[in-house]
């Protein structure tokens, strides 16, 4: 049996380990587009702040991969999937055949249309590559402007404050607002950020980000002009499934799966932030975001790929850690 897993994040790695526990002989191929060993994205801020080392970020070492007999295709992007012939096409046009396929490609941050033309002046805070780049510049960074409502933006601001940087957060709302947290958590996010020393500009939004010498000038709708060393933006987060365009697999925002994480295509599973799971309670599909869910889904998908029939137990809440402070987020009402 040949198991192919696209995406070497939390869900993909857990699935590979789970398959190996059950099937000691099967061939496992793990395809990851990043130029690193598989790593734990949710620990990036700890690495950014220096509380863990780069090595502690990695979920599998070269020795682990060898011991588990996992062929890791590092730095190789899956470009498309031919479901009829059970083949994954890689960026360099090599094809990898499979008997069972797991898609675990996670999600990626998006910048809204208003700032898209300034994208080259904006810094993302999402991957190990981003963090290494920011770390390189950090000594010369004093002031950062941050915009967006992604939960990781919150993590980033707390991290920057920990590193004694000046942080200015711009929000369109009357108070700092992170959609999935605010209504369900007893922690006031606006107050938490203010107490950390973040300057919050409310009821406003950036309209341009221009580079002048080695600084960035951010102009806002209400006429503020801010000078920053780095400008971060993260408007929303979407599953990484563009490579499945023009295929027959059912999808809405993410890949649609049932409670056993099976997609509409036979022998193809999806798990983690790229999957939308059917929730019988709300009778609809939903992305069950976050790393604890990705781990559990990876485990369920891995088991079911080997022939078991296990249901994924949907979690209604998850805890998002912002430098030691737990914030509860609820996905289901
Ligand atoms: C800074 C930060 C802090 C976070 N903190 C928390 C937290 O405290 N709590 C929490 O619950 N969640 C947190 N998260 C979110 C959490 O990391 C994700 O929910 C989790 O990693 C999802 O796991 P995944 O396996 O689905 O996706 P990922 O871990 O993103 O892995 C997907 C992998 O697939 C690869 N890939 C994508 N497309 C392709 C392709 N076509 N071919 C090959 N490879 C591909 C990607 O490069 C990536 O490595 C945080 C995220 C960030 C960025």
């Amino acid at each position: 049996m040949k198991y192919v897993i696209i995406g070497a994040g939390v869900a993909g790695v857990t699935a590979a380990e789970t398959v190996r526990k059950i099937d000691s002989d099967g061939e496992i191929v793990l395809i990851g587009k990043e130029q690193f060993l598989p790593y734990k994205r949710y620990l990036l801020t700890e690495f950014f702040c220096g509380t863990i080392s780069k090595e502690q970020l990695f979920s599998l070492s070269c020795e682990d991969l060898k011991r588990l007999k996992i062929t890791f295709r590092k730095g190789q992007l899956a470009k498309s999937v031919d479901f009829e012939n059970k083949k994954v096409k890689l960026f360099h046009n090599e094809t990898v055949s499979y008997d069972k396929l797991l898609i675990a490609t996670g999600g990626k941050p998006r910048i809204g249309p208003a700032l898209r033309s300034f994208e080259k002046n904006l810094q993302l805070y999402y991957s190990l590559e981003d963090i290494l780049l920011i770390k390189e510049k950090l000594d010369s960074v004093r002031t950062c402007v941050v915009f967006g409502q992604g939960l990781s933006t919150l993590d980033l601001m707390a991290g920057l404050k920990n590193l004694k940087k000046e942080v200015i957060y711009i929000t369109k709302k009357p108070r700092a607002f992170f959609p999935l947290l605010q209504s369900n958590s007893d922690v006031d996010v606006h107050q938490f950020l203010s107490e950390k020393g973040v300057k919050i500009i409310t009821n406003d939004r950036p309209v341009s980000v221009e580079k002048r010498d080695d600084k960035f000038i951010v102009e806002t709708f209400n006429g503020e002009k801010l000078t920053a060393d780095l400008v971060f933006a993260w408007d929303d987060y979407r599953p990484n499934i563009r490579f499945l365009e023009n295929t027959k697999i059912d999808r809405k925002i993410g890949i649609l799966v049932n409670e056993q994480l099976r997609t509409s295509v036979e022998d193809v599973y999806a798990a983690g932030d790229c999957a939308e799971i059917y929730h019988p309670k709300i009778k609809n599909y939903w992305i069950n975001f976050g790393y604890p869910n990705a781990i559990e889904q990876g485990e369920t998908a891995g088991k079911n790929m080997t022939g078991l029939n296990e249901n994924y137990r949907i979690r209604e809440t998850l805890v998002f850690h912002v430098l030691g402070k737990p914030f509860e987020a609820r996905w289901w009402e």
Side-chain angles (χ1 to χ4, degrees):
M1 183 69 73
K2 183 170 177 184
Y3 307 90
V4 172
I5 297 168
I6 310 177
V10 193
V13 166
T14 310
E17 290 173 323
T18 307
V19 167
R20 181 53 77 226
K21 272 187 207 149
I22 301 169
D23 182 346
S24 53
D25 297 327
E27 186 181 349
I28 302 176
V29 181
L30 180 63
I31 303 169
K33 71 173 180 183
E34 297 181 60
Q35 297 290 348
F36 304 101
L37 282 169
Y39 68 90
K40 299 169 190 157
R41 191 173 306 283
Y42 57 93
L43 291 183
L44 282 175
T45 300
E46 279 73 0
F47 170 59
F48 179 50
C49 292
T51 49
I52 63 167
S53 68
K54 192 169 157 195
E55 283 59 45
Q56 286 172 290
L57 265 185
F58 297 128
S59 35
L60 291 175
S61 63
C62 293
E63 292 70 40
D64 293 330
L65 288 163
K66 213 168 162 186
R67 179 177 46 82
L68 294 166
K69 293 182 280 163
I70 296 171
T71 306
F72 181 41
R73 309 292 300 253
K74 184 169 85 170
Q76 301 197 352
L77 176 97
K79 190 163 88 173
S80 60
V81 183
D82 173 355
F83 291 117
E84 273 69 39
N85 296 303
K86 293 190 150 188
K87 283 186 192 335
V88 176
K89 194 172 196 177
L90 300 181
F91 192 69
H92 52 279
N93 287 334
E94 179 194 344
T95 54
V96 179
S97 62
Y98 66 83
D99 296 312
K100 304 277 179 182
L101 175 69
L102 173 67
I103 303 168
T105 45
K108 64 170 181 199
R110 277 198 324 187
I111 291 164
L115 286 184
R116 225 164 268 165
S117 54
F118 303 101
E119 210 158 349
K120 66 176 187 310
N121 296 335
L122 300 171
Q123 177 62 55
L124 284 180
Y125 183 75
Y126 161 73
S127 65
L128 179 51
E129 196 180 355
D130 294 333
I131 309 296
L132 290 172
L133 224 133
I134 302 165
K135 264 175 157 318
E136 234 172 67
K137 299 179 184 164
L138 215 53
D139 282 348
S140 56
V141 170
R142 253 195 69 210
T143 307
C144 300
V145 168
V146 181
F147 177 71
Q149 291 184 355
L151 286 182
S152 309
T153 308
L154 186 59
D155 211 18
L156 160 71
M157 288 191 278
L160 287 169
K161 282 316 294 179
N162 235 30
L163 293 166
K164 313 263 180 289
K165 306 297 173 191
E166 195 184 320
V167 181
I168 304 170
Y169 179 57
I170 308 174
T171 173
K172 290 181 206 161
K173 308 271 177 190
R175 287 178 72 73
F177 175 77
F178 293 83
L180 296 161
L181 289 180
Q182 203 83 343
S183 59
N184 303 295
S185 171
D186 54 0
V187 183
D188 183 321
V189 182
H190 189 99
Q191 196 182 328
F192 169 75
L193 289 175
S194 300
E195 280 166 7
K196 282 259 168 205
V198 175
K199 180 182 171 196
I200 306 172
I201 298 178
T202 56
N203 298 309
D204 206 354
R205 62 188 160 82
V207 289
S208 68
V209 182
E210 300 289 358
K211 188 156 196 244
R212 218 159 286 160
D213 303 323
D214 56 347
K215 301 276 182 200
F216 296 98
I217 311 296
V218 180
E219 288 202 56
T220 74
F221 185 76
N222 292 339
E224 293 252 20
K225 218 171 184 178
L226 309 163
T227 303
D229 301 298
L230 278 177
V231 182
F232 294 89
W234 175 314
D235 279 317
D236 66 8
Y237 181 72
R238 282 283 183 274
N240 250 326
I241 56 167
R242 217 160 170 189
F243 69 107
L244 298 173
E245 261 172 15
N246 308 319
T247 67
K248 63 177 185 180
I249 198 164
D250 284 350
R251 57 201 183 274
K252 285 203 308 185
I253 299 171
I255 303 163
L256 303 187
V257 291
N258 66 13
E259 286 165 281
Q260 295 183 344
L261 307 181
R262 296 175 201 275
T263 70
S264 61
V265 180
E266 205 179 340
D267 295 328
V268 180
Y269 300 73
D273 288 1
C274 69
E276 276 191 89
I277 300 170
Y278 185 73
H279 191 290
K281 212 153 106 187
I282 60 164
K283 297 195 173 14
N284 207 345
Y285 290 90
W286 201 281
I287 296 174
N288 220 7
F289 169 84
Y291 81 86
N293 297 321
I295 291 173
E296 286 180 20
Q297 288 173 35
E299 197 178 330
T300 304
K303 284 181 180 166
N304 293 344
M305 284 166 86
T306 65
L308 301 181
N309 278 310
E310 192 171 277
N311 278 357
Y312 165 66
R313 197 175 53 81
I314 291 162
R315 274 171 186 264
E316 306 217 341
T317 59
L318 77 89
V319 173
F320 201 88
H321 288 274
V322 182
L323 290 180
K325 187 154 191 106
F327 285 85
E328 192 178 273
R330 175 178 287 274
W331 302 152
W332 319 92
E333 293 299 344

